[in-house]
Amino acid sequence: MTATHTQLQQEVQRRRTFAIISHPDAGKTTLTEKLLLYGGAVHQAGAVKARRAQQHAVSDWMELEKQRGISITSTVLSFEYQGYRVNLLDTPGHQDFSEDTYRTLLAADAAVMILDAARGIQAQTLKLFDVCKQRKMPLFTFINKMDRPALDPLDLITEVENVLGIKTVAMNWPLGNGTTFKGVYDLHEHQVHWFERGEDRRGRAELTKLQADDPIIKETCDSETYKNFIDGVELLEANEEFDPKQFAVGEQTPVYFGSAANNFGVQLFLDQFLTMAPTPTPRKVPGDEPVPPDSEKFSGFVFKIQADMNPKHRDHVAFVRIASGRFERGMKVKNTRTGDTLRLSTPMQLFAQSRETVDEAFPGDVVGLVNAGDLALGDTLYDSGKAFRFEPIPQFPAEHFMRLTVTDPSRRKQFRKALDQLTLEGAVQVFWLDDSTTYDPILGAVGQLQFEVVEHRLRQDYNVEVQMEPMGLKFVRWIDNPGDKALQLSRSTRPATDNWERPVLLFPGQWDMDYAKEKNKELVLNALSTLGR
Ligand code: G4P
């Protein structure tokens, strides 16, 4: 075994790449900041938000975020902690950009689901959880905001089991909630992490470790809080054990309670997370063996394209998740889709909005590559040997539809080019009606706000002004080639093709979709498609 191979294996072993999923407001940004704080990547929580705010001032792209008070962009936050290399794939906070979050999950090896202790499972958590479930991803659960009046912890755990259909194992148990919240009991070490609320929430919380029967607990807590705590701990000790096998395939989730804002239980979570979270997993290749991360040949795939990160450069950044081998600045790689060879001369790592050049990187890491249009979402990059493709990136069905008309017909050529580019980036879905007498496409988006982004991009990057007109459509379904047989459809169902010339049906409502199924027994309606042919 060569020294390089040993180094590669060591680097793989110490990497943890994950994403956080939550309903907006559950505390994703706060927990991210606190993990960075404990990981030593920032010295004061608030830095991520502060950097975002600074960036708002300099970027047109961010202008849209600023105007709408939302956070669209997502970045990769990396830090070293106790010998681990942690890669936190940050996902957009706004649910209109949930498609970006779905894709980011493809690049992660594990996910952390944050729940608000007063609300339990919310709509967006459920949607994102489904993606994790489909991929059998290892999932951690962090129940946040225990410093606020919370639902009963047992009810919260039961809700996770019943609504999500996943087994739970409590790793710690809260001592009180709201104003009585004093800390958490760590099942592993059999100790209470007893916190003092600091004046300044931005620093680390003062922590004392106590035995569960330490008199100070009984003396300090009211009798009801104390009784609930002791009952909970007894229950916990008799609880189902953490099962690494079930966890590895997303069938059991370890549950943590805490308060991200107050730093209660954050370090405990981080420390246990790092020992339990998977190392970079082998990546699937349809029709072939998965690619192990410690294969000496470099490979990776593009899971996100971010446009206009810096208007001064007008560049796009393609984010590549490294799947195998060692990545080196300046290396030449092949793109399976185009057959082209690219020299990766300006790889970057992004921390919040600042960029650093990367000289080397390993499986599990994410590097940003300046994209002059030669990289598309889902592209596989490899450095030698037989060409292959990682599994394609799924395309989620659009839920909103607009007809797009170019205001100035002389810009039509640029418009087509722009649509092709935006489709490759996965920024929007484009459909062409079979019976259309115009060249106007239908745009589909998972979230309404995506339309604004597209309008903004068309204007800024391609100098194309458009008009958008809402369509009374609700669903898109990809269909297997319908052949010659005419389909029996409701009058308002619109047959069309997507930008990759695959047949679709656009439905104005559930009734029309049911009608199509009823009248065409062999018709298969696919809610998911893939990006690219
Ligand atoms: P998100 O990224 O999931 O959308 O949520 P974010 O972290 O922005 O948190 C949403 C709100 O919840 C924030 O308040 C945040 O301070 C608060 N929060 C997060 N964790 C906790 C917690 O453990 N306890 C309590 N009590 N609150 C928490 P905000 O008023 O929107 O903003 P700000 O006060 O932080 O400026």
Side-chain angles (χ1 to χ4, degrees), residues 22-33 49 52 93-94 114 116 142 144-148 201 258-264:
S22 74
H23 191 84
D25 260 6
K28 185 166 65 65
T29 311
T30 312
L31 186 68
T32 301
E33 287 187 345
K49 270 191 190 160
R52 279 190 188 157
H94 198 283
I114 305 185
D116 181 328
F142 188 89
N144 190 29
K145 303 199 188 181
M146 285 305 297
D147 62 316
R148 291 257 185 90
R201 274 176 166 193
S259 165
N262 292 288
N263 303 315
F264 287 14

Side-chain angles (χ1 to χ4, degrees), residues 16 32 69 78 118 121 123 135 137 159 169 194 201-202 209 272 288 390 394 421 469 474 479 497 505 523:
R16 301 290 183 272
T32 301
S78 302
I121 292 164
R135 300 187 57 76
M137 275 179 101
E159 189 182 353
V169 52
W194 178 268
R201 274 176 166 193
R202 289 174 302 178
K209 291 186 183 172
Q272 293 190 0
D288 214 333
F390 286 111
Q421 183 58 35
E469 176 200 343
K474 273 215 180 102
I479 55 176
T497 50
L505 293 175
L523 179 68

